[in-house]
Amino acid sequence: MEILFYPTPLSFSMPAVFSQGVVIAIVGYCTVFSALVILYFVFTYLSKILNLEIRNRLRREGKEECAEVKDLQISGDESAAISMAIYLFHELHDVESNVITIKKIERVYSPWSSKVYNFRRYPK
């Protein structure tokens, strides 16, 4: 039984390839643009949602006057003062001697851990 193989001529249609490339490009650009729009809205409204959650938690705890404050945000000056206080608090610990003490521990000899057997012997 003989199998005959007739090579078919390859046809290359530039408009077909171009149209597929354009479709892929449009879908890619739309995907990226829509992801950026979604991220914009998420980051824009995330702080508002968190402020509402904090206000609701304060009301549940019975702190109505704190929940009614107009701005619950901490200013930049207050953040800088808090971070400087934390930094200075961590500097208050004692100064160490910077001396490392190493104690030698005697171990029983084992040929399994001997480095002599790991060397390769080359023939002369």
Side-chain angles (χ1 to χ4, degrees):
M1 180 172 165
E2 185 177 327
I3 298 175
L4 296 175
F5 177 72
Y6 296 108
T8 58
L10 295 175
S11 63
F12 183 74
S13 174
M14 187 62 179
V17 172
F18 184 71
S19 66
Q20 289 176 355
V22 169
V23 169
I24 290 172
I26 290 173
V27 168
Y29 287 134
C30 289
T31 303
V32 170
F33 185 72
S34 62
L36 288 174
V37 168
I38 290 170
L39 285 173
Y40 169 76
F41 285 119
V42 166
F43 288 125
T44 301
Y45 292 111
L46 185 64
S47 65
K48 294 178 183 178
I49 292 170
L50 289 175
N51 277 336
L52 284 175
E53 186 65 31
I54 290 171
R55 288 181 195 276
N56 289 338
R57 187 182 52 167
L58 288 172
R59 285 189 184 108
R60 276 183 272 148
E61 293 175 357
K63 300 177 182 177
E64 291 291 329
E65 63 277 353
C66 293
E68 300 302 325
V69 173
K70 182 180 179 184
D71 190 18
L72 292 176
Q73 305 268 337
I74 296 176
S75 69
D77 295 335
E78 292 171 344
S79 297
I82 291 170
S83 61
M84 189 64 184
I86 291 172
Y87 176 77
L88 291 176
F89 176 74
H90 285 296
E91 273 190 2
L92 293 178
H93 65 81
D94 58 336
V95 179
E96 297 168 6
S97 64
N98 296 329
V99 176
I100 298 174
T101 306
I102 300 174
K103 295 181 181 177
K104 187 173 182 179
I105 300 172
E106 294 293 330
R107 294 197 176 132
V108 180
Y109 172 77
S110 171
W112 292 102
S113 63
S114 180
K115 295 191 176 30
V116 173
Y117 297 114
N118 291 334
F119 291 123
R120 185 178 177 129
R121 297 185 186 145
Y122 292 106
K124 292 185 180 180

